[in-house]
């Protein structure tokens, strides 16, 4: 059974990817320092698949511990590297925290791979690398612009580190996946997005407001050059995103890649505004979301959505979930969290 190391595997996208990997027979090892996730996620994964993944509480920045981990699991076939800090606003306040964590963790992995004969790595990147694209929908050929935040810069630099490393050493193979906006939760409502503290991202703030944990949602600006004035994003179901990672690992293991670094946009190809998300959520759930328009948030781009043609054609992957189903799954997860809190 092929073995996949998933760093950040107790996180939002990581945990959903672990489930999809196990569903098709991969053996999974999770490395996570639980800095932005909870060990209980392992229970959720096990409830869904019946398999509790191996778990190592390690910080990927800790080279010696990571080296020992590779010795322990000495036949890893591929790595999916999620472990990174990802809050745009926090990265502006604490840039060195982001550069150290997000870049040293990647450099450690790339240094350890040839030592431990691991060839394949999937890198978690982001549409943030495009900044505000000049042309929409955005393709993989779009120019990489000056990052608007240290977070976005760590993704750009991370991609460059991978490309330079692989150019220097043919032993590696990498697939870079540029996510648009992941939202939603597994249909079981056993795992989902669980940000620590006040959510940075839109959807958890919407669902926490709908359930009454937050008084009111703040919409960051309605004076953008968009139909309703609020920002537009490409919201993709996290399970669709997870499935793309399985395909990427299989593609490398089956040696189907056409170059040693391949890069794909993972989005639906549809842009929705903040106000449209609120409207769709209220329609799907029947629950009002109190909100008010406030000033723009620093670092926000106006509008971005993917051209997913390349991933559709080359990976044979596409985002299948409707926005209604995606929003419904996010709400079901929030309701499950509330039930658990009441039971405690
Ligand atoms: C979406 C829209 C906000 C919160 C970032 C990263 C990206 C990815 C997801 C990790 C924007 C608006 C939000 C709120 C609001 N990171 N908003 N009120 O900034 O597009 O992407 O997070 O996976 O790489 O760049 O996502 O959900 O924060 O914001 O009005 O309380 O919702 O202004 O227009 P973003 P987001």
């Amino acid at each position: 059974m092929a073995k996949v190391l998933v760093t950040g595997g107790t996180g939002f996208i990581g945990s959903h990817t672990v489930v999809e990997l196990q569903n098709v027979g991969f053996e999974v090892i999770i490395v996570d320092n639980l800095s932005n996730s909870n060990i209980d996620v392992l229970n959720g994964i096990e409830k869904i698949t019946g398999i509790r993944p191996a778990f190592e509480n390690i910080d990927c920045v800790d080279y010696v511990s990571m080296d020992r981990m590779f010795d322990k699991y000495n036949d890893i076939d591929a790595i999916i590297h999620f472990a990174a800090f990802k809050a745009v606003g926090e990265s502006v306040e604490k840039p060195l925290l982001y550069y150290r964590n997000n870049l040293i963790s990647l450099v450690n992995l790339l240094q350890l791979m040839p030592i431990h004969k691991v060839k394949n790595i999937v890198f978690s990147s982001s549409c943030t690398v495009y900044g505000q694209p000049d042309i929409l929908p955005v393709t993989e050929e779009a120019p990489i612009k000056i990052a608007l935040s240290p977070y976005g810069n760590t993704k750009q630099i991370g991609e460059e580190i991978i490309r330079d490393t692989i150019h220097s050493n043919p032993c590696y193979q990498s697939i870079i996946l540029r996510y648009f906006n992941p939202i939603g939760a597994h249909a079981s409502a056993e795992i989902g997005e669980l940000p620590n503290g006040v959510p940075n991202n839109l959807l958890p703030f919407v669902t926490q407001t709908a359930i009454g944990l937050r008084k009111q949602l703040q919409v960051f600006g309605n004076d953008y050059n968009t139909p309703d004035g609020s920002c537009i994003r490409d919201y993709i179901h996290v399970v669709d995103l997870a499935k793309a990672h399985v395909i990427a690992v299989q593609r490398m293991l089956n040696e189907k890649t056409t170059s040693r670094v391949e890069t794909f946009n993972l989005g639906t190809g549809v842009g929705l505004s903040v106000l449209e998300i609120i409207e769709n959520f209220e329609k799907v759930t029947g629950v009002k979301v109190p909100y008010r328009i406030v000033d723009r948030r620093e670092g926000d781009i106006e509008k971005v959505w993917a051209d997913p043609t390349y991933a559709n054609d080359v990976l044979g992957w596409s985002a299948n979930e409707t926005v209604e189903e995606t929003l419904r799954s996010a709400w079901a997860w929030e309701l499950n969290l509330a039930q658990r809190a009441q039971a405690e």
Side-chain angles (χ1 to χ4, degrees):
M1 181 190 291
K3 202 178 279 186
V4 180
L5 167 67
V6 180
T7 73
T10 54
F12 175 37
I13 307 170
S15 56
H16 287 81
T17 301
V18 169
V19 164
E20 299 308 321
L21 285 166
Q22 291 183 331
N23 282 348
V24 295
F26 284 104
E27 183 182 342
V28 175
I29 303 112
I30 293 176
V31 162
D32 203 304
N33 67 357
L34 301 175
S35 61
N36 194 23
S37 59
N38 189 303
I39 189 83
D40 293 343
V41 168
L42 297 180
N43 301 331
I45 292 170
E46 188 175 10
K47 269 191 189 167
I48 295 166
T49 66
I51 307 164
R52 191 175 188 84
F55 173 74
E56 299 290 340
N57 186 344
I58 298 174
D59 186 334
C60 292
V61 171
D62 177 349
Y63 181 91
V64 171
S65 298
M66 288 297 285
D67 188 29
R68 287 200 192 110
M69 183 279 301
F70 276 107
D71 281 334
K72 179 176 175 183
Y73 302 95
N74 57 8
D75 53 353
I76 288 168
D77 299 291
I79 299 170
I80 304 179
H81 182 41
F82 289 108
F85 293 151
K86 64 164 197 169
V88 173
E90 183 185 7
S91 76
V92 174
E93 291 160 24
K94 303 172 184 171
L96 286 179
L97 182 76
Y98 273 66
Y99 287 118
R100 182 174 187 280
N101 184 66
N102 292 9
L103 298 181
I104 292 179
S105 58
L106 175 62
V107 170
N108 281 349
L109 284 172
L110 292 171
Q111 286 183 310
L112 287 163
M113 283 172 71
I115 296 168
H116 296 279
K117 298 181 178 41
V118 181
K119 177 180 174 187
N120 306 301
I121 182 167
V122 175
F123 178 62
S124 164
S125 189
S126 166
C127 63
T128 316
V129 303
Y130 299 115
Q132 176 58 63
D134 299 324
I135 299 169
L136 289 168
V138 64
T139 70
E140 291 81 356
E141 281 67 52
I144 303 299
K145 290 192 170 178
I146 300 281
L148 293 173
S149 70
Y151 162 77
N153 209 16
T154 64
K155 291 303 180 186
Q156 290 183 3
I157 297 169
E159 290 193 11
E160 287 170 27
I161 289 172
I162 287 173
R163 281 191 287 270
D164 290 346
T165 304
I166 290 182
H167 179 71
S168 73
N169 182 340
C171 85
Y172 296 90
Q173 172 68 55
S174 181
I175 291 182
I176 294 171
L177 300 177
R178 291 173 180 165
Y179 313 150
F180 284 68
N181 285 59
I183 62 170
H186 190 269
S188 66
E190 292 298 342
I191 54 176
E193 190 167 7
L194 190 55
N196 289 343
V198 179
N200 285 293
N201 293 135
L202 177 65
L203 238 296
F205 213 110
V206 166
T207 56
Q208 289 186 13
T209 303
I211 206 158
L213 287 174
R214 309 275 166 208
K215 192 167 171 297
Q216 187 179 54
L217 168 72
Q218 295 185 332
V219 173
F220 297 135
N222 69 343
D223 57 351
Y224 287 97
N225 179 25
T226 61
D228 64 20
S230 64
C231 292
I232 295 174
R233 295 288 186 276
D234 184 330
Y235 295 96
I236 178 169
H237 196 300
V238 65
V239 173
D240 279 331
L241 196 59
K243 288 176 178 173
H245 290 74
V246 177
I247 292 170
V249 167
Q250 290 167 328
R251 181 174 172 80
M252 291 192 287
L253 294 184
N254 298 332
E255 299 183 348
K256 299 283 187 196
T257 53
T258 53
S259 68
R260 290 209 299 274
V261 183
E262 293 183 326
T263 304
F264 297 94
N265 284 345
L266 297 182
T268 67
V270 175
L272 288 172
S273 74
V274 176
L275 294 176
E276 285 174 319
I277 285 289
I278 295 169
E279 183 187 343
N280 274 286
F281 181 86
E282 293 180 336
K283 187 172 73 179
V284 159
T285 62
V287 179
K288 287 299 283 178
V289 178
Y291 71 86
R292 69 190 172 101
I293 306 292
V294 298
D295 292 340
R296 296 182 174 191
R297 178 173 69 176
E298 187 191 350
D300 272 339
I301 60 162
E302 183 170 79
K303 49 195 172 194
V304 63
W305 61 93
D307 176 344
T309 309
Y310 188 53
N312 301 158
D313 295 350
V314 174
L315 293 182
W317 167 90
S318 61
N320 297 318
E321 297 293 346
T322 63
V323 65
E324 291 79 13
E325 175 44 41
T326 306
L327 293 171
R328 194 176 291 116
S329 69
W331 182 232
W333 164 244
E334 191 67 57
L335 290 171
N336 189 355
L337 285 175
Q339 283 166 10
R340 290 185 197 177
Q342 279 171 353
E344 280 168 7

